[in-house]
């Protein structure tokens, strides 16, 4: 990788003072699991890295009974946090599925949310793709078996973060700190489609830091779960997955939030599935109908039509798992 | 195109003076260091001005660091971009842990930092300061193998052996926390390591048959 200078920021103020306004020139390093790989492949060549591991790395109760997670919290610490697991099981289960033990021991919550896409054209130094300022999305006429089945392009990545999907399902907000103060952004508003922002996957500016994820207190009757469909159990990303957060009254679903992952350039909220489920008695049939509604608008590419079925299965099983029912 | 990193030359091991011999005898010493020091002088400092309030940046040239490796203090001079793995292999002559994929994918570089397994190829040396680092070199006591190493030998848990140091470190980290893992627990703990020869069955057998692992 290209040589760079290094700032070991003691706190948020120091870290912010070290950032710049030009994209990819000064970058924050958390666990470095994604960033160092990008740098070794010359996909980004920052002149300076700013260590943000000394920023808030705690998981704290909020006054309203939710949790506030510092971006510097490592995945392993989230996984081992008893309150987080009890309150937001889908989030913790997804964290457990990330990469490998070594990656979970180093990787941070902020890093997971802000990691760059795994599209093999984007990751290959030799392909000057749309996202890297080129003129072509090579996936359109290329090897697109793991690409998006939702969205109009022009870039067809799937968002790589699985925590992001749970954050949407639980209605999390992100705190973004910048030179002129901090702002709170809903997880759903944080991630951006490529037709809005081709060169980044979210609204974070080069001189800002994502410092905290705040999860609201679980509503009474909240039952949630995640279900991933994977080709490999480790060292890989899911083919498609889903998180279901259901507010239940007995066996009746009062309201639901269903979010799919690895199917679109952002975590993909399935509003149709949520509507299909609301007011219904939870069963294999109602879950299946909601899942069918979830993939209704899918527009698969030449080699990924199979993902529609996979996503549908993931949604069905996430709903059943959330409701405490047998997952077939 | 930007120059590729320093250790591409690892691929080049021919007859005569071997790369390892050369690095061990010269690389860590004065010659390389003084050349790099010279380069550092020539680097422009303008980009490092930053804002007045910004804390000081170090590098991009070599900076002094102190690592705590296998209970010993190690003082080195490396660039901020140098990984923990390269720092130990190329600057301290500790070539036990291997550099294979260099992307945090294969696990051959696995070390234990503060009790947890980490990819040393994807950890900056500068960021490993102040932490308790354990590499494969720290396991054997003289000629007496660590119980995990002994179990690997007895179970024949290796073929070409290149992945072995990483697997051993992952097994050590597991067994120090959980001396009697189930098969599933052991598999999961070894998830981050790959053996391209495919001797997973024997590796798992070694991890499961190891007795008497305690941090010592």
């Amino acid at each position: 990788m290209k040589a760079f200078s290094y700032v070991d920021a003691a706190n948020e103020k120091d870290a912010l003072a070290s950032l710049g306004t030009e994209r990819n020139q000064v970058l924050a390093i958390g666990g470095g699991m994604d960033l160092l790989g990008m740098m070794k492949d010359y996909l980004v060549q920052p002149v300076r890295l700013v260590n943000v591991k000394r920023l808030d790395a705690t998981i704290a109760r909020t006054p309203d009974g939710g949790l506030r997670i510092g971006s510097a919290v490592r995945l392993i610490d989230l996984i081992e946090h008893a309150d987080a697991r009890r309150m937001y099981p889908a989030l913790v289960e997804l964290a457990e599925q990330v990469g490998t033990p070594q990656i979970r021991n180093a990787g941070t919550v902020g890093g997971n949310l802000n990691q760059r896409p795994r599209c093999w054209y984007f990751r290959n130094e030799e392909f000057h793709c749309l996202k890297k300022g080129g003129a072509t999305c090579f996936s359109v006429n290329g090897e697109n078996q793991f690409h998006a089945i939702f969205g109009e392009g022009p870039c067809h990545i799937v968002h790589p973060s699985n925590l992001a999907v749970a954050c949407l399902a639980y209605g999390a907000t992100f705190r973004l700190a910048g030179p002129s103060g901090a702002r709170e952004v809903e997880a759903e508003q944080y991630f951006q489609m490529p037709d809005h922002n081709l060169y980044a996957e979210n609204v974070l500016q080069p001189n800002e830091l994502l410092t905290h994820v705040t999860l609201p207190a679980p509503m009474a009757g909240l039952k949630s779960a995640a279900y991933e469909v994977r080709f490999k159990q480790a060292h890989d990303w899911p083919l498609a997955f889903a998180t279901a957060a259901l507010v239940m009254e007995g066996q009746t679903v009062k309201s639901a939030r269903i979010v799919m992952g690895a199917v679109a350039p952002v975590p993909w909220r399935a509003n149709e599935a949520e509507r299909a489920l609301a007011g219904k008695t939870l069963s294999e049939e109602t879950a299946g109908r909601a899942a069918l509604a979830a993939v209704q608008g899918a527009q698969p590419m030449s080699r990924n039509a199979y993902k529609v079925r996979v996503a549908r299965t993931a949604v069905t099983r996430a709903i059943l798992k959330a409701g405490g029912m047998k997952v077939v | 195109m930007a120059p590729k990193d320093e250790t591409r030359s690892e691929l080049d091991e021919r007859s005569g003076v071997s790369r390892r011999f050369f690095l061990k005898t010269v690389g860590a010493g004065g010659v390389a260091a003084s050349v790099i020091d010279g380069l550092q002088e020539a680097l422009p400092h303008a980009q490092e001005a930053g804002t007045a309030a910004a804390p000081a940046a170090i590098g991009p040239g070599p900076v002094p660091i102190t690592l705590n490796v296998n209970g010993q203090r190690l003082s080195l001079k490396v660039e901020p971009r140098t990984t923990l793995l390269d720092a130990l292999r190329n600057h301290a002559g500790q070539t036990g842990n291997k550099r294979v994929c260099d992307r945090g994918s294969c696990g051959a570089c696995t070390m234990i930092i503060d009790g947890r397994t980490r990819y040393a190829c994807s950890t900056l040396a500068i960021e490993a300061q102040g932490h308790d680092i354990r590499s494969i070199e720290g396991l054997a006591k003289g000629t007496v193998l660590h119980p995990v190493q002994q179990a690997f030998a007895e179970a024949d848990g290796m073929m070409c052996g290149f992945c072995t140091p990483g697997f051993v470190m992952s097994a050590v980290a597991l067994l120090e926390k959980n001396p009697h893992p189930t098969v599933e627990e052991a598999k999961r703990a070894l998830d981050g390591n790959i053996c391209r020869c495919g001797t997973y069955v024997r590796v798992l057998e070694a991890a499961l048959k190891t007795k008497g692992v305690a941090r010592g």
Side-chain angles (χ1 to χ4, degrees):
Chain A
M1 71 184 102
K2 190 171 164 268
F4 55 84
S5 63
Y6 178 90
V7 175
D8 187 16
N11 51 45
E12 184 180 306
K13 188 167 151 281
D14 280 0
L16 288 171
S18 306
L19 296 173
T21 52
E22 202 181 331
R23 201 166 281 286
N24 293 334
Q25 284 301 292
V26 180
L27 292 173
I29 179 167
M33 299 314 300
D34 183 34
L35 178 60
L36 293 178
M38 296 268 301
M39 289 167 65
K40 287 176 182 184
D41 289 335
Y42 298 96
L43 299 176
V44 290
Q45 303 185 29
V47 297
R48 184 192 301 162
L49 292 189
V50 181
N51 176 31
V52 291
K53 282 181 284 298
R54 289 161 72 193
L55 273 59
D56 191 5
T58 64
I59 301 178
R61 283 281 189 157
T62 59
D64 84 332
L67 286 184
R68 189 170 190 250
I69 304 172
S71 288
V73 167
R74 293 181 305 173
L75 297 181
I76 187 67
D77 297 324
L78 176 63
I79 291 164
E80 293 180 348
H81 197 274
D83 281 349
R85 183 179 292 274
R86 184 175 49 76
M87 295 162 72
Y88 312 104
L91 181 75
V92 173
E93 283 169 24
L94 288 171
E96 274 182 307
Q97 299 302 316
V98 170
T100 64
Q102 289 92 325
I103 290 173
R104 298 190 291 272
N105 289 342
T108 62
V109 169
N112 179 278
L113 293 170
N114 289 327
Q115 65 183 303
R116 304 302 310 277
R118 305 305 304 191
C119 166
W120 42 35
Y121 296 108
F122 175 69
R123 291 275 163 173
N124 191 315
E125 191 187 345
E126 308 299 330
F127 284 90
H128 190 51
C129 78
L130 212 50
K131 197 171 242 321
K132 290 184 284 195
T136 312
C137 173
F138 294 95
S139 77
V140 174
N141 295 309
E143 300 286 336
N144 52 35
Q145 49 266 55
F146 302 125
H147 284 77
I149 55 171
F150 288 98
E152 308 283 333
C155 155
H156 298 271
I157 59 151
V158 294
H159 198 276
S161 166
N162 58 3
L163 297 190
V165 171
C167 283
L168 256 74
Y170 287 121
T173 54
F174 297 159
R175 178 177 177 272
L176 313 188
S180 49
R183 55 182 176 138
E184 292 280 342
V185 178
E186 282 180 38
E188 201 165 357
Q189 307 302 320
Y190 181 73
F191 301 99
Q192 286 187 303
M193 290 290 280
D195 55 345
H196 279 86
N197 187 352
L198 193 51
Y199 304 115
E201 293 74 56
N202 51 58
V203 301
L204 192 72
Q205 296 303 304
N207 59 356
E208 287 183 312
L209 290 170
L210 191 169
T211 65
H212 293 87
V213 174
T214 304
L215 294 154
M219 273 185 274
L222 177 71
K223 296 188 171 190
S224 55
Y227 192 94
E228 290 191 341
V229 180
R230 288 174 160 268
F231 185 64
K232 291 189 285 187
Q233 291 308 304
H235 267 307
D236 204 359
W237 283 259
L239 297 169
F241 64 105
T243 297
L246 315 175
V247 179
M248 305 281 293
E249 205 171 65
Q251 276 308 99
T252 305
V253 181
K254 280 168 68 185
S255 65
R257 275 173 88 113
I258 313 285
V259 188
M260 291 181 281
V263 297
V266 297
W268 198 255
R269 186 148 175 212
N271 296 301
E272 297 80 4
E274 296 173 4
R275 278 195 288 275
L277 210 50
K280 301 286 192 315
T281 302
L282 189 59
S283 70
E284 229 171 272
E285 197 199 333
T286 50
R289 259 193 226 140
L292 190 59
V295 297
Q296 213 50 249
Q299 295 175 296
M301 302 173 80
S302 59
R303 292 165 191 248
N304 67 8
Y306 77 99
K307 282 184 68 165
V308 178
R309 191 61 189 262
V310 171
R312 191 177 141 189
T313 300
V315 172
T316 305
R317 294 183 182 181
I319 293 170
L320 292 175
K321 194 175 157 193
M325 297 178 70
K326 196 164 153 258
V327 175
V328 281
Chain B
M1 182 158 311
K4 297 294 182 185
D5 43 339
E6 48 181 298
T7 39
R8 276 290 160 97
S9 61
E10 291 219 346
L11 297 171
D12 187 15
E13 193 155 5
R14 302 200 174 88
S15 58
V17 179
S18 77
R19 174 195 54 82
R20 179 171 297 170
F21 177 79
F22 179 81
L23 285 173
K24 278 190 165 173
T25 52
V26 178
V31 177
S34 60
V35 170
I36 295 166
D37 277 348
L39 283 175
Q40 188 189 13
E41 299 290 322
L43 282 167
H45 292 278
Q47 68 197 24
E48 295 314 317
T51 59
I58 54 172
V63 294
I65 64 166
T66 305
L67 300 174
N68 175 6
V69 183
N70 300 321
Q72 300 200 310
R73 280 169 61 88
L74 203 57
S75 292
L76 303 172
K77 216 173 166 193
V78 301
E79 297 177 41
R81 67 170 160 172
T82 306
T83 63
L84 172 61
L85 182 69
D86 286 349
L88 294 187
R89 289 181 57 84
N90 300 344
H91 297 264
Q94 299 190 13
T95 52
N97 278 90
K98 304 305 180 202
R99 190 191 208 241
V100 180
C101 75
D102 199 32
R103 293 294 185 281
S105 292
C106 76
C109 66
T110 300
M111 295 182 191
I112 299 174
I113 302 181
D114 295 340
R116 296 190 190 280
T117 53
R118 295 278 295 271
Y119 293 131
C121 77
S122 300
T123 304
L124 295 177
I126 195 171
E127 300 200 325
Q129 295 183 97
H131 297 280
D132 174 28
I133 303 160
R134 295 163 64 201
S135 70
I136 191 76
E137 273 93 352
L139 292 185
K141 299 272 182 278
T143 56
V144 180
L145 294 178
H146 182 279
V148 172
Q149 291 173 310
Q150 187 63 39
F152 267 70
E154 285 168 12
D156 200 10
M158 69 196 78
M159 287 196 203
C160 84
F162 231 69
C163 70
T164 311
F167 264 114
V168 168
M169 295 311 286
S170 285
V172 169
L174 163 70
L175 295 167
E176 284 180 351
K177 277 211 170 70
N178 179 3
H180 305 288
T182 64
V183 173
E184 275 314 306
E185 286 168 344
K187 277 185 180 174
R188 205 161 151 68
L190 300 174
D191 260 351
N193 296 72
I194 287 174
C195 168
R196 278 307 184 218
C197 303
T199 185
Y200 293 106
V201 175
R202 299 281 177 85
V203 167
L204 194 62
E205 190 186 321
L208 291 170
K209 74 179 285 187
T210 305
K211 296 277 182 292
V213 175
R215 174 82 205 263

